[in-house]
Amino acid sequence: MPRSTNPGRTSDTAIAGESADSTRQRIVAAAKEEFARHGIAGARVDRIAKQARTSKERVYAYFRSKEALYAYVAERETTALVEATRLDPADLPGYAGILFDHFTARPDHYRLIVWGRLELAEPADNPTSPLQATIAGKLDQLRDAQRIGLLDPAWDPVDVLALINQIAMTWAGQPEIAAAAADQAVDPSIAARRAALVAAVERMFPRSN
């Protein structure tokens, strides 16, 4: 994910004739949809402006570039993801289920994140990014769980987090298999897919009693 970027916008009070906050909110909402659908390179500021019922000039008055607008949107979405998917080291299968639920309800969020990984040249290991801070915090939680006996200390916490995240996002990242499951799985329901991945994590990292 991109590091925090100053949007480079003008003062809200500098834009007359309309609530600056409402204009900016519409721009951000339209940009989120545009980036999730088309990526960064494929997104068009004129479409964002049209969807937001404003002009390209106003978009650039708030955000100095398309990339800065993406960075702002992505940081907001990362914050929303963190708030919605808090880790409980005593219930890692439950955490996997929460991640699955989030990306099932918000496939646009998954696409937005993946576009950033594919298209941005910025390093993923930027230590000042909100996402890296979140990852560091979760790794600390897992280490603490190992120290007090809630998690097998034989595992490296970074492997634990990577494996759970990957399992939880299995269906979000493989839509072609999800499509096949719709008519070929014994139980084609979303509930069955969720139960399977939670069971997989349970076998690897059992809940603490």
Side-chain angles (χ1 to χ4, degrees):
M1 295 293 290
R3 53 175 177 254
S4 178
T5 303
N6 182 344
R9 61 183 179 83
T10 61
S11 169
D12 287 349
T13 58
I15 300 178
E18 180 179 3
S19 166
D21 283 344
S22 66
T23 303
R24 187 166 180 267
Q25 289 166 4
R26 291 200 309 273
I27 290 169
V28 171
K32 182 170 63 175
E33 181 178 334
E34 179 76 6
F35 288 129
R37 180 173 297 177
H38 300 288
I40 304 169
R44 295 290 178 266
V45 175
D46 56 350
R47 284 198 298 254
I48 293 171
K50 182 178 180 181
Q51 180 67 21
R53 305 191 309 279
T54 190
S55 66
K56 289 177 65 174
E57 290 74 21
R58 282 200 173 186
V59 174
Y60 285 121
Y62 287 106
F63 301 94
R64 66 173 178 266
S65 66
K66 183 171 64 172
E67 290 72 22
L69 176 53
Y70 173 83
Y72 180 81
V73 170
E75 186 168 322
R76 279 170 54 100
E77 290 299 291
T78 298
T79 299
L81 173 62
V82 170
E83 290 298 319
T85 60
R86 295 186 179 276
L87 182 147
D88 178 359
D91 185 9
L92 296 178
Y95 171 64
I98 290 170
L99 283 173
F100 173 87
D101 292 341
H102 180 83
F103 287 111
T104 298
R106 294 287 310 279
D108 60 316
H109 193 167
Y110 179 81
R111 293 193 300 271
L112 189 74
I113 293 172
V114 171
W115 280 120
R117 288 173 178 167
L118 291 172
E119 296 190 54
L120 291 180
E122 296 183 15
D125 60 353
N126 169 28
T128 65
S129 75
L131 186 57
Q132 284 299 318
T134 298
I135 290 170
K138 289 182 177 181
L139 292 176
D140 285 342
Q141 286 183 274
L142 293 173
R143 293 187 188 99
D144 289 341
Q146 288 177 322
R147 280 194 289 269
I148 62 176
L150 295 179
L151 179 64
D152 185 351
W155 287 96
D156 191 313
V158 295
D159 292 323
V160 175
L161 190 59
L163 288 167
I164 293 174
N165 285 351
Q166 192 63 40
I167 292 170
M169 291 188 283
T170 294
W171 297 104
Q174 300 186 81
E176 65 283 355
I177 299 182
D183 59 14
Q184 297 190 42
V186 174
D187 181 346
S189 69
I190 293 175
R193 307 286 75 75
R194 186 187 195 277
L197 69 87
V198 169
V201 175
E202 176 73 38
R203 291 191 182 188
M204 299 172 70
F205 311 111
R207 291 180 176 89
S208 299
N209 297 322

